[in-house]
Every structure is written in structure tokens, then in C-alpha cells.
């Protein structure tokens, strides 16, 4: 619930800061603030019965695991186009079929949409096209190994937006089957 | 891994923005950016075998559940002092004993420390002292009901930092016992 009169007070490389004057319960006013970060796409990509997982490093990080993913920074691009572009750039792969899985709309003090796609039956069609700030190795991983990544704290940052799905799959065999079918069928 | 030469380029009410010049893998340079938000304390408070849960509303939100919690915005205050202050302001309660449970250090593009405390055997010693931007009702909830809150998506925002603990407790009886003892013993 952010009023339309919220004004951008800072424009950064990634983060924009907005403020507005908010009436309090006692009739007084305070300056409220939120940060907008660019919308992001995350791609669960499959090759046969395996998931495409990236081993990745950026100039200010150690190696970490992730899915193909990226910021939507091309003007006019749809989330689906961004998902296909990031997958192609980071892995050189194109899917037979791509479906929208879910969208998480962060609505707190840090605002961002995260779009999830499932890219099925990917095939390598070209080489990687990496940014100067990326080192990426492409790995394939089975579904159970993927779910078990959540047991390791170093992977939880990447899995954050899927944590609930993964734990629900581990708790409830029925949901595990649903999720497996969604990704691989 | 943020270099000490990172400079604050914006100071907001809540969020400060920092930038630095980062060398890329190909020798080129780009501007990197992160946001600093104030450190926060979260208090799991108990009364006998129940947890103290707040039903809360702010001027720009609907009613939601949370634990006693707040930003560390008093200069010179330690995390423990902040935990005791927030608990007293939001519930009017003081604990018999307070212990540090864990600290989560967010180290990505949004930087923040979140300090968790367990405040045991709380007693009401005074009335609430709320900010003009808070409406708070104090509730008591059993441990299993607390763990089951994670099944409802509207509570996951609040539980975010405890999601892993709660799911591990639901998956593994041994960890559930450890967590229950930590909170209530």
C-alpha cells in the first residue's frame, strides 16, 4: 500500500529510493521510505531428468550455486523474453518449451517482482555469452540432489524464493510429486 | 566482500546507498552498489509454555502477525538492550532471563544484521508504549501453532528469517525438541 504520491528521491545503478509523507494513527506525519530494485527472472531449466545448475562467481563473491537468472534490464523486454535471454547467455541453451511457474511480488520496504520460469528439454545451441562480471560453469543435477541443496546453508541465499516449495516437497510426498511433474513432465 | 573504499552516495530515512568502482574479470571497471538498512532485533518471548505473538498494524499495512521486534535506532544501544526495549514498549513485559539465539548477517546487495533473542518467562510490568505508527494486540500461542503459522503464506514474510528453523523442526523431531527446549527450558 504505497501511495501514488511517493516520490523518487534517489536513482542508483540498481536501487531507487522513494519517500512519501504518511499520516500516523495520532494524526501526525512521518516520512516513509521504500527501495525499488529491478525485477528479476529465475529459470528452472531441464535436460532430460536433470536440472541445469550454475556454479558461478562474480568479482566480489566466492563461488556459489544458482539457477540461470538475471535482472530485467533490457527496455521493453517481457519476463519470458528475459528468461530465454538469460538462459541463452549463461548456458548457450534453448528450451523446447518454456512455462511461467510463479511470480513473487515483494511488497515490503524493498519492492521487486521475481518471475519464475520452467524451461523444458533444453539443448545447447551456442556458446555462453558472459558479462565481464561473470564466471559460470554449467552443471546437471537430479531432482533429489536439488531438493537436498537446502540442507546446506551456503545455498539458501540462492534458494530463498524457492525455500517454501522445497521444504513443502520434503514434508509432503504429494507436493513433491506435483513439483517434480511441473518441472519434468 | 565490499571494499572499504565504498562510499555512501545517499542517506535516507531508513536506507543508505553505497557505491564503489569494481574491477571486472576482463580488467574493465563497473560501478557496484549496495543498500544498508538498520540492524534489527527479533524477540521470541515466552509466558509459561506459550509464545508472545503480536497482531499488528501500521498506517500502510493490513493486520499481520509478528514477534516483538524493531530497528536498532537508539545510538549506543546494544542488540540485547534493543531487544529488551522493544519487548517492553510493544508488550509492557520484562523477561526473567534473556539469551542470544542467533545473528543473521545479510551480505548481499542489501546489508543488515538481524539479532534474535529468546526472552523467557515474561511478566507484564507496565502498559504498552507504542509509536504513533503502531497498533499492537498481544496474543499467546502454543509451540505447535507457532510452527504451523508457516503453512499460511501471509505469515511467511514475518517468519522469513526463521523459515529454515521452523521447517527443519517440522521435518526432524530431534531438531524440534532442540528448538522447543531452547525456547521454553
Amino acid at each position: 500500500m504505497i501511495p501514488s504520491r511517493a516520490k523518487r528521491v534517489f536513482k542508483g545503478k540498481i536501487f531507487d529510493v522513494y519517500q512519501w509523507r504518511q499520516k500516523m494513527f495520532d494524526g501526525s506525519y512521518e516520512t516513509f521510505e521504500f527501495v525499488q530494485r529491478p525485477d528479476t527472472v529465475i529459470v528452472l531449466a531441464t535436460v532430460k531428468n536433470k536440472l541445469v545448475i550454475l556454479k558461478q562467481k562474480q568479482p566480489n563473491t566466492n563461488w556459489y550455486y544458482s539457477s540461470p537468472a538475471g535482472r530485467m534490464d533490457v527496455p521493453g523486454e517481457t519476463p519470458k523474453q528475459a528468461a530465454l535471454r538469460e538462459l541463452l547467455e549463461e548456458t548457450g541453451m534453448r528450451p523446447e518449451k518454456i512455462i511461467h511457474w510463479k511470480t513473487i511480488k515483494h511488497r515490503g520496504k524493498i519492492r521487486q517482482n521475481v518471475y519464475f520460469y520452467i524451461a523444458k528439454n533444453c539443448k545447447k545451441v551456442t556458446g555462453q555469452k558472459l558479462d565481464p562480471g561473470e564466471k559460470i560453469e554449467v552443471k546437471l543435477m537430479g531432482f533429489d540432489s536439488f531438493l537436498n541443496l537446502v540442507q546446506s546453508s551456503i545455498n539458501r541465499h540462492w534458494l530463498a524464493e524457492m525455500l517454501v516449495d522445497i521444504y513443502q516437497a520434503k514434508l509432503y510426498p504429494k507436493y513433491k510429486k506435483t513439483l517434480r511433474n511441473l518441472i519434468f513432465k
Side-chain angles (χ1 to χ4, degrees), chain A:
Chain A
M1 286 195 278
I2 286 168
S4 53
R5 68 185 182 279
K7 270 189 198 149
R8 193 175 68 199
V9 292
F10 177 79
K11 184 172 167 49
K13 286 284 288 182
I14 299 177
F15 294 99
D16 296 339
V17 184
Y18 289 78
Q19 292 180 342
W20 74 96
R21 209 168 155 252
Q22 174 70 51
K23 193 172 188 173
M24 299 287 101
F25 293 126
D26 66 355
S28 65
Y29 284 86
E30 281 183 25
T31 300
F32 271 37
E33 190 174 85
F34 73 93
V35 160
Q36 180 85 51
R37 61 187 298 185
D39 291 349
T40 294
V41 291
I42 297 180
V43 186
L44 291 186
T46 68
V47 174
K48 288 174 185 148
N49 62 344
K50 303 275 187 186
L51 278 156
V52 177
I53 304 295
L54 310 182
K55 199 182 151 192
Q56 181 161 186
K57 190 181 175 356
Q58 294 181 6
N60 63 330
T61 71
N62 293 317
W63 288 95
Y64 61 97
Y65 286 104
S66 80
S67 294
R71 288 200 286 271
M72 291 181 59
D73 49 12
V74 177
E77 193 178 46
T78 66
K80 186 179 170 179
Q81 288 166 341
L84 289 167
R85 175 180 54 73
E86 288 289 350
L87 178 63
L88 187 66
E89 287 175 3
E90 297 190 333
T91 69
M93 292 180 181
R94 264 193 231 280
E96 205 171 280
K97 191 179 169 186
I98 188 163
I99 60 168
H100 176 248
W101 172 25
K102 63 174 183 172
T103 301
I104 294 178
K105 291 174 185 287
H106 291 288
R107 287 282 167 266
K109 286 193 167 47
I110 295 164
R111 295 171 64 84
Q112 178 187 35
N113 295 326
V114 183
Y115 300 94
F116 286 81
Y117 283 86
I118 298 173
K120 301 189 179 207
N121 298 323
C122 296
K123 289 217 165 57
K124 192 136 166 71
V125 296
T126 181
Q128 287 174 315
K129 200 186 121 200
L130 300 180
D131 290 334
E134 290 177 329
K135 288 184 181 178
I136 291 176
E137 296 172 14
V138 178
K139 311 271 182 194
L140 295 178
M141 193 177 282
F143 185 59
D144 281 302
S145 303
F146 169 72
L147 295 184
N148 284 334
L149 285 174
V150 83
Q151 296 302 124
S152 145
S153 64
I154 58 161
N155 295 313
R156 283 190 199 128
H157 180 69
W158 151 48
L159 294 171
E161 313 281 8
M162 288 182 280
L163 221 53
V164 169
D165 301 286
I166 290 173
Y167 274 116
Q168 296 280 339
K170 288 172 85 77
L171 270 170
Y172 305 110
K174 210 174 146 181
Y175 183 68
K176 183 174 173 178
K177 200 176 160 188
T178 302
L179 188 60
R180 183 194 273 131
N181 285 344
L182 180 76
I183 296 173
F184 293 102
K185 278 279 165 73

